[in-house]
Amino acid sequence: MSKRSDELHIKLSKIVGADRVRTDKMERLLHNHDLAPLPPLMEMGFKMMPDAVVRPKSAEEVSRIIGLAVREGVPLVPRGGASWGYGGAMPCEGGIVLDMTSMNEIVRMDVDNLEIEVEAGATWQKVIDEAEKAGLFIGYYPSSKPAATIAGWIATGGIGVGTYKYGSVKNNLRNMEVVLPEGQIINTGFDYVSDHSAAYNLNDLFTGTEGTLGIVTKVTLKAVPAPEVVKPISIMYPTLIELYPMMHAITRKRIQPLHIAFVDEHHSRYLKAMGKHTPGDGAILNVVLEGDKVSVEHEESVIAELITEHGGTRLSDEDAQHEWEENPYEFRVREVGVSAALAEVVVPMTEFTDTIEDLYTLIKSMKMEASVIGMLGDRNTVLLMPYYLYVEKKLVKSMASLSFGNKVGNLSMEHKGRPLGFGLFFAMNLKKIRRDGAPVMYDIKTVLDPYDIMNPGKMFEGMTRYGMPMPGAMMGMGMAMMALGKKVLPKDKGFTKAVKDHDPERGHHGGGEEKAPAPKEKA
Amino acid sequence: MSAEKGSRNRPPKSIAKDLDACLQCGYCRDVCPVFEQDPWESASPRGKVYMLKQLDRKGFMDRILAVFDREIKVTDDFVERVYWCTSCGMCEEECHVEIPFPELWEEVKGWLVDQGVAPLDTHRAFLSRVSNVKNPFNEPESTRGDWSKEFLLSSKPEVMYYVGCTESFRMQKIAKTTATVLKAADVKFNIMGEEEWCCTSPLLRTGQKSLTESFARHTQEQMRISGANVMLTACAGCMATTKRDHTKAIGPLGYEVLHVAQYAEKLIEDGRLSFNRTIPRKVTYHDPCHLGRHAGVFEPPRNVIESIPGIELIEMPRNRRKSRCCGAGAGFKAQFDEYAVNIAAGRVQEAIDVGSEQIITTCPFCAVNLNAGAKQLGVRQPTIDLMQLILEALGPSV
């Protein structure tokens, strides 16, 4: 164990007690990554191993940990469910990882005021479930709700389920308790009422920060009364290109579905090849309606009319329900033993067809096994999540996964869109994507985090292990070369090979004597 | 500190594909009962898989990276974390890529046992005891059938009642109750007595596989001698092991293995068992992991409960496939009793929250641990075996 770890262990123990500090090598290793499979080689360039991991239980503890970090000159890395893949929750200059998931209590379930005050490290699943028990509905959450934490999603500012109808989390924040990089504990908004007033909107400022401006410890979220009906509808088309006119048409009607999402034909074919339940091998448009019975019936009839006009096969209610329940499980395909690298970009609705065609051309030129899935952020914002399958143990292909993300990002910008998220991997893109807004962001960061201890290296380019900055241009060039390298390698067959050996009947411990129904409450 | 021995420090090949499949999404964290007790990443299924993944891929590069504080090896801490598991299988249930986790954990434990760094202290004793006296409680074999003296056993039985170690030596009351219920339905049954050997569940769940094949053959031979083609168990662990693991070890058994809950359902359907007494009581049913998720038996015990006049069966929010573990399984209670009881207390609280007056279950371990949980909470919410409820409903004439 390093000397710094030993010292931090003693000092952190004084703040939170020895039970909630760990500096052993195993625990630190488990906090040196997020969803992205990084080759261990990266450790040579960046100090990805944290010096200590701590689980705070209150804003006061967080504040004191920050005080310690400032005094010691040690970086802090806040971490939620670590279910994102851009390296946002992993150290790159060592330091203290704050595992926020022990701050997971529901502080106030306020049915009268339609809001929920919750500690920042609770999972979205927990908050959704508790709200439901109280007769409230949270209509906005990340697809990764079983693992993603409240503040984790706030830090990404992302698009998710229900963004189409309710906006993202940033549109549903009443207030946040944030600990600033010099230790002050502040409130960013107001409980009970909206912040439609003068003065800078701090709720917005502290959203999408990737943990670079402070640590969110408590959040007050808006809720709505529970709906009478949640009704998923699925429509199948031969290809994603052929699905587009219907999706476009829905957005140009005044109906307001909760969620609109799609998978392409390749996604369906991978699942089918694995023996998973899938309604067919085409592209599927999933539209989820929600609200009063009469309004849902009306919206359903509008969709039925559009199907008559634009074609498509409406799937059974059972299949639609299945598609809806499978929403958090986008990567079932990995079960055969392959990895999936994901890119996230947004493009305008009008560029959809051209972007998809270019994406498929890119996938073909990089000789990849890949698919495109996505969802709508609003009537004109399409989130595309192309993923490519590869064998993680093969270093070159593993590295190429990063270049794929970069290429897709560039492609989106050619189509009036942009990639989402920076983290560690795409920090070099901040100036390119935020253009003349980027210097303002640098100024804000400098003012609020003068010691540069708050998640350094994320969003803003960081330092390598050797005290030198990682120049964006070099990183970009490196990625371009990796992509080029990928093009000259043989065609990917990772999935095709793996699926041949796959046994779909495996699992569930030999059970299945009864086909078990889902949990149900007795009426 | 290091528990690493010899050169076999790479995890078994049989799990390599699952390690590749894991995307580290973390859906397994919040549903894991032991993770909740000590919520460090190293205690979560995701964290353990990440360690295994690094061990699986360990190579030349890792030697260089050791300079940078990155160390990949099997330590005592890691071994303990692997055993920090009740084998409840909720991680599999929630898994993004459907990794068959209970099997995976057993493979990993077996691998650690082969390396000589596992199992943990209390688990080691299981092996010598089961090997010597055919039960993990170290009780003399000759006394195994002592509880049955008051019952008329059939030499030409319809069914063999495989009593199990816990009911033979620690909870004879449940064994007697089960026998009384069989008698009430006029079922001709017999037991194996001192020829009944442990099903080896406590060994298998802790990675000790050596005795299962010979013990399974012995049980198979006893069944052949008995002439019966149905073997009943009143223990969820015995049921899952004698059915699934014995078949895995020696091939088709040649007889059916049923839990008494399943058999009681049949007896009721056939009109051989009927209830005379009305029991006006709100009860909930706790699915034992080994009978529910692992063996797929969810409805028969519920159907039996609901056929009793007056009983109101209320479900806890986490039921059937999503049922919460009682906290006792896979040697967890034996080694980490305090935490096991904490988990049980949480489960008992769920029962109280839905307005239950009594918890019904079908596994003696669950009953013991849930009762310990109720004691910790200081509440009156007794857990009883389904057979005890049946006996009560049969009325005073039995």
Side-chain angles (χ1 to χ4, degrees):
Chain A
M1 204 183 299
S2 70
K3 190 164 162 274
R4 185 148 92 160
S5 285
D6 284 342
E7 288 173 7
L8 285 173
H9 196 119
I10 296 166
K11 289 172 181 169
L12 286 166
S13 295
K14 283 184 185 154
I15 299 173
V16 300
D19 286 356
R20 287 190 274 119
V21 184
R22 288 242 174 168
T23 51
D24 60 274
K25 287 188 177 175
M26 173 166 67
E27 205 66 54
R28 289 191 287 129
L29 180 75
L30 296 180
H31 291 82
N32 84 340
H33 68 100
D34 63 8
L35 205 71
L38 278 187
L41 192 67
M42 288 276 287
E43 189 71 49
M44 290 186 86
F46 297 97
K47 193 172 182 315
M48 287 149 55
M49 279 282 277
D51 297 294
V53 186
V54 59
R55 290 194 289 112
K57 293 277 273 182
S58 70
E60 288 69 29
E61 284 182 359
V62 171
S63 174
R64 291 180 65 196
I65 294 166
I66 290 177
L68 173 70
V70 170
R71 282 195 302 280
E72 305 280 327
V74 178
L76 289 171
V77 182
R79 174 177 155 118
S83 53
W84 205 30
Y86 287 173
M90 53 184 267
C92 60
E93 298 176 18
I96 303 169
V97 168
L98 285 100
D99 173 358
M100 298 301 291
T101 58
S102 288
M103 290 187 69
N104 59 13
E105 297 294 321
I106 308 283
V107 180
R108 180 168 54 94
M109 180 66 64
D110 193 337
V111 179
D112 291 340
N113 288 296
L114 298 173
E115 65 180 33
I116 302 162
E117 193 178 333
V118 58
E119 288 186 319
T123 59
W124 280 92
Q125 186 73 61
K126 178 171 178 169
V127 178
I128 292 162
D129 291 347
E130 292 299 317
E132 193 184 326
K133 280 185 210 164
L136 295 177
F137 183 68
I138 300 279
Y140 51 92
Y141 52 83
S143 301
S144 53
K145 63 179 173 165
T149 61
I150 298 297
W153 199 39
I154 290 173
T156 72
I159 292 175
V161 173
T163 304
Y164 191 81
K165 182 170 189 172
Y166 293 99
S168 182
V169 63
K170 73 166 83 180
N171 309 102
N172 291 278
L173 287 176
R174 286 260 189 251
N175 186 22
M176 290 195 282
E177 179 185 73
V178 181
V179 189
L180 299 184
E182 291 184 273
Q184 312 94 310
I185 302 171
I186 65 158
N187 281 277
T188 55
F190 306 93
D191 286 347
Y192 310 116
V193 288
S194 68
D195 189 0
H196 292 110
S197 59
Y200 308 133
N201 189 314
L202 297 183
N203 281 340
D204 278 357
L205 179 62
F206 286 94
T207 302
T209 63
E210 297 189 346
T212 57
L213 288 188
I215 298 189
V216 180
T217 48
K218 206 162 59 177
V219 178
T220 306
L221 299 167
K222 285 200 281 184
V224 294
E228 278 181 358
V229 190
V230 177
K231 169 98 189 175
I233 293 171
S234 299
I235 312 150
M236 186 173 276
Y237 297 86
T239 64
L240 187 56
I241 299 285
E242 288 163 273
L243 173 152
Y244 170 73
M246 176 67 178
M247 182 166 74
H248 176 264
I250 294 173
T251 62
R252 269 50 182 170
K253 290 282 178 188
R254 287 300 306 271
I255 60 170
Q256 190 75 59
L258 172 71
H259 189 52
I260 301 176
F262 52 85
V263 299
D264 75 356
E265 59 276 22
H266 305 287
H267 183 86
S268 296
R269 281 174 204 156
Y270 292 144
L271 292 179
K272 193 176 175 188
M274 291 166 67
K276 292 282 167 204
H277 174 84
T278 172
D281 51 11
I284 305 172
L285 179 64
N286 293 307
V287 183
V288 184
L289 307 175
E290 165 263 333
D292 290 348
K293 200 161 165 272
V294 280
S295 64
V296 168
E297 277 169 4
H298 166 69
E299 295 192 336
E300 191 177 350
S301 70
V302 173
I303 289 172
E305 276 171 36
L306 290 174
I307 295 175
T308 323
E309 197 178 324
H310 295 281
T313 310
R314 181 163 172 184
L315 304 176
S316 69
D317 283 354
E318 290 73 34
D319 279 339
Q321 186 65 31
H322 174 79
E323 291 294 308
W324 177 224
E325 282 165 12
E326 280 291 289
N327 178 69
Y329 305 96
E330 291 145 346
F331 293 108
R332 290 281 194 216
V333 59
R334 286 192 56 154
E335 189 183 328
V336 300
V338 292
S339 284
L342 175 74
E344 285 186 312
V345 298
V346 288
V347 293
M349 183 64 86
T350 46
E351 293 286 322
F352 184 87
T353 308
D354 289 349
T355 313
I356 296 295
E357 277 169 358
D358 284 357
L359 265 176
Y360 286 145
T361 307
L362 172 70
I363 288 164
K364 203 174 168 192
S365 77
M366 287 182 80
K367 300 178 187 170
M368 289 169 161
E369 292 178 297
S371 150
V372 183
I373 59 177
M375 63 181 86
L376 301 189
D378 62 28
R379 288 179 196 278
N380 210 46
T381 306
V382 188
L383 169 66
L384 297 172
M385 298 190 289
Y387 67 82
Y388 112 79
L389 304 173
Y390 66 101
V391 178
E392 207 173 298
K393 282 174 187 161
K394 296 187 175 167
L395 183 67
V396 179
K397 295 195 175 176
S398 180
M399 295 298 275
S401 66
L402 286 175
S403 68
F404 178 67
N406 202 41
K407 281 259 176 197
V408 173
N410 292 343
L411 194 149
S412 70
M413 290 174 80
E414 289 162 20
H415 288 282
K416 301 176 191 157
R418 62 182 179 85
L420 297 182
F422 299 93
L424 171 65
F425 307 147
F426 298 111
M428 76 279 185
N429 282 343
L430 187 73
K431 285 177 216 161
K432 187 166 105 185
I433 290 164
R434 289 294 180 170
R435 305 181 307 268
D436 43 10
V440 181
M441 295 185 190
Y442 274 84
D443 288 347
I444 293 172
K445 170 76 174 169
T446 308
V447 168
L448 287 177
D449 184 17
Y451 306 107
D452 197 23
I453 57 161
M454 203 54 77
N455 211 7
K458 318 302 155 53
M459 242 173 82
F460 306 95
E461 284 165 72
M463 293 288 190
T464 58
R465 198 177 259 285
Y466 313 100
M468 288 179 296
M470 184 78 175
M474 222 171 90
M475 188 102 167
M477 208 162 75
M479 289 205 176
M481 278 175 67
M482 275 190 273
L484 192 69
K486 179 74 185 68
K487 284 181 187 178
V488 299
L489 286 168
K491 195 170 182 297
D492 282 350
K493 285 187 191 131
F495 177 81
T496 314
K497 274 188 194 163
V499 80
K500 279 185 191 150
D501 304 327
H502 180 64
D503 171 14
E505 295 303 317
R506 205 178 56 120
H508 282 309
H509 224 137
E513 185 164 304
E514 286 181 19
K515 192 71 191 162
K520 58 186 175 192
E521 304 236 10
K522 207 183 152 188
Chain B
M1 184 61 195
S2 166
E4 195 168 350
K5 278 184 190 172
S7 57
R8 293 192 53 207
N9 52 14
R10 211 174 283 279
K13 276 214 170 80
S14 55
I15 66 164
K17 190 178 99 169
D18 295 319
L19 300 180
D20 288 340
C22 174
L23 66 151
Q24 294 284 302
C25 69
Y27 291 6
C28 50
R29 276 168 45 112
D30 265 16
V31 296
C32 174
V34 299
F35 173 71
E36 189 178 82
Q37 290 300 310
D38 191 27
W40 287 103
E41 182 73 9
S42 56
S44 72
R46 174 174 76 175
K48 293 176 217 178
V49 168
Y50 189 76
M51 270 305 288
L52 289 164
K53 214 168 181 168
Q54 304 310 308
L55 287 161
D56 183 50
R57 291 167 190 192
K58 194 172 171 181
F60 177 67
M61 187 54 71
D62 289 283
R63 277 192 229 168
I64 298 171
L65 291 173
V67 179
F68 297 120
D69 219 16
R70 183 190 152 91
E71 185 182 72
I72 313 292
K73 65 188 200 184
V74 175
T75 60
D76 292 341
D77 281 352
F78 175 67
V79 172
E80 186 175 309
R81 284 312 200 186
V82 169
Y83 281 83
W84 187 257
C85 169
T86 65
S87 224
C88 77
M90 261 315 284
C91 41
E92 172 178 2
E93 200 56 38
E94 196 58 37
C95 181
H96 207 129
V97 289
E98 300 186 16
I99 294 173
F101 268 119
E103 287 167 33
L104 182 139
W105 300 133
E106 278 172 29
E107 285 286 307
V108 173
K109 286 172 185 171
W111 163 64
L112 294 173
V113 168
D114 288 347
Q115 287 186 83
V117 296
L120 306 182
D121 309 342
T122 54
H123 307 144
R124 282 182 207 280
F126 292 166
L127 182 63
S128 57
R129 290 171 181 178
V130 171
S131 175
N132 294 334
V133 289
K134 319 297 184 240
N135 70 77
F137 300 111
N138 217 19
E139 297 288 346
E141 293 168 78
S142 57
T143 62
R144 189 183 266 270
D146 284 0
W147 63 271
S148 66
K149 284 183 182 137
E150 62 199 76
F151 295 95
L152 185 67
L153 302 170
S154 167
S155 56
K156 284 190 178 165
E158 295 170 63
V159 298
M160 284 299 279
Y161 172 29
Y162 183 90
V163 188
C165 302
T166 308
E167 286 166 37
S168 297
F169 298 111
R170 290 288 179 271
M171 298 178 76
Q172 291 95 337
K173 194 177 155 194
I174 297 185
K176 285 182 188 179
T177 307
T178 306
T180 310
V181 170
L182 292 174
K183 194 176 116 190
D186 223 2
V187 176
K188 288 188 198 125
F189 72 96
N190 202 350
I191 61 169
M192 296 172 192
E194 61 185 289
E195 289 303 326
E196 182 185 297
W197 291 4
C198 175
C199 67
T200 70
S201 172
L203 301 177
L204 283 174
R205 306 303 156 242
T206 53
Q208 307 178 91
K209 301 175 186 171
S210 59
L211 295 183
T212 301
E213 188 186 333
S214 58
F215 276 47
R217 289 202 193 283
H218 177 83
T219 303
Q220 190 183 38
E221 177 61 11
Q222 294 306 309
M223 280 302 292
R224 192 191 61 75
I225 294 167
S226 79
N229 51 23
V230 173
M231 188 170 97
L232 292 184
T233 81
C235 166
C238 292
M239 148 79 179
T241 308
T242 55
K243 186 173 175 170
R244 176 195 63 215
D245 297 294
H246 284 194
T247 306
K248 207 167 145 189
I250 62 171
L253 301 174
Y255 48 89
E256 196 179 5
V257 179
L258 291 177
H259 189 279
V260 281
Q262 295 169 291
Y263 195 64
E265 186 191 33
K266 282 187 185 172
L267 291 174
I268 294 166
E269 277 171 12
D270 297 346
R272 294 173 71 181
L273 199 60
S274 57
F275 304 117
N276 305 317
R277 182 186 271 176
T278 299
I279 304 178
R281 189 182 299 156
K282 288 180 182 172
V283 302
T284 190
Y285 176 69
H286 167 79
D287 291 277
C289 305
H290 284 116
L291 190 63
R293 265 189 298 277
H294 293 201
V297 178
F298 298 98
E299 301 311 319
R302 289 180 166 81
N303 293 339
V304 171
I305 294 169
E306 293 204 298
S307 66
I308 296 172
I311 285 272
E312 186 186 342
L313 176 63
I314 318 166
E315 293 291 354
M316 290 182 271
R318 295 190 270 193
N319 63 65
R320 296 179 171 83
R321 278 222 174 273
K322 306 278 183 191
S323 178
R324 179 68 154 187
C325 176
C326 76
F332 188 72
K333 187 172 174 63
Q335 184 77 27
F336 307 105
D337 187 49
E338 181 193 340
Y339 297 100
V341 176
N342 288 345
I343 296 169
R347 183 61 168 163
V348 171
Q349 189 61 51
E350 284 181 38
I352 294 169
D353 290 346
V354 295
S356 155
E357 296 164 43
Q358 194 176 46
I359 302 171
I360 311 298
T361 193
T362 42
C363 170
F365 274 123
C366 293
V368 166
N369 204 39
L370 291 171
N371 281 321
K375 195 175 165 196
Q376 189 199 74
L377 287 177
V379 295
R380 208 186 132 61
Q381 179 73 212
T383 300
I384 64 162
D385 193 273
L386 177 64
M387 290 300 121
Q388 292 170 278
L389 183 72
I390 292 178
L391 186 63
E392 197 183 337
L394 287 171
S397 60
V398 181

